[in-house]
Amino acid sequence: MDVLLRPWRETDAAACAALADDEGVAANLRDVFPYPYTEQDAHDFIALCLAADPGKALYCAVEVDGAFAGSISLTRGGDIARKSAELGYWFGRPFWGKGVATAAVRQMCAQGFGTWDIVRIFAEPFSCNRASCRVLEKDGFAHEGTKRLSVYKRGALLDSELYALIKR
């Protein structure tokens, strides 16, 4: 299985919308990620990715054996958090449980540490998203704590977890 991180392309919109329009994907993401997810949502997101300042955000499409599989990003902190970056990702259901996320996270962290003068990459998955927590653990992220009742999703207050990877 070949997992490739690459720049976004306008031509990714249809494949992106097809995978993103899944309630199971949206359930584990921030509300800014729409559901239902339309092809226009994909075009808007791709435009944001292509216009991003590479000194502040790295956005990559993820391919598996040549097929679009999902999205991964790093967003650099500002001010006193300028040596940290937040990791975010999602993958379409056909790519769950196959090691795609683990491989993509490993590559993105290497890219972030290699591109920027950051020392810390963190992620905050919902506590109920055990699969995402496990991905981070497999990639060497340390569990720094549980943020109790820290997110409000679909009418419920939920816990989230804080994971971080420190540059070696």
Side-chain angles (χ1 to χ4, degrees):
M1 175 176 59
D2 183 33
V3 177
L4 172 71
L5 275 57
R6 62 160 175 79
W8 280 90
R9 302 179 201 135
E10 283 293 335
T11 55
D12 291 326
C16 176
L19 291 179
D21 189 30
D22 180 331
E23 190 172 9
V25 171
N28 290 306
L29 299 172
R30 293 177 178 168
D31 287 343
V32 70
F33 188 94
Y35 179 79
Y37 197 104
T38 66
E39 200 164 322
Q40 185 58 54
D41 292 322
H43 282 293
D44 293 345
F45 179 69
I46 292 166
L48 177 138
C49 294
L50 295 174
D53 177 346
K56 295 180 182 175
L58 301 174
Y59 291 103
C60 293
V62 180
E63 277 187 13
V64 175
D65 297 330
F68 178 85
S71 175
I72 193 163
S73 65
L74 280 177
T75 306
R76 190 166 182 170
D79 200 323
I80 61 170
R82 64 187 167 272
K83 296 292 185 177
S84 295
E86 183 174 11
L87 173 70
Y89 51 86
W90 68 265
F91 299 94
R93 192 179 296 262
F95 301 95
W96 292 0
K98 298 183 175 171
V100 173
T102 302
V105 166
R106 187 174 304 120
Q107 290 179 46
M108 181 55 98
C109 291
Q111 184 176 340
F113 285 136
T115 302
W116 296 331
D117 64 343
I118 58 172
V119 297
R120 181 174 191 272
I121 295 174
F122 70 95
E124 297 182 357
F126 300 161
S127 297
C128 58
N129 187 353
R130 293 306 311 153
S132 191
C133 294
R134 185 68 190 119
V135 164
L136 297 166
E137 291 163 0
K138 287 191 284 189
D139 277 327
F141 280 68
H143 181 249
E144 295 187 335
T146 300
K147 296 169 66 176
R148 296 176 44 222
L149 304 178
S150 60
V151 296
Y152 186 72
K153 182 74 177 179
R154 297 186 173 169
L157 283 165
L158 304 172
D159 295 346
S160 65
E161 303 300 326
L162 178 60
Y163 284 89
L165 182 67
I166 305 301
K167 186 176 182 178
R168 292 186 175 93

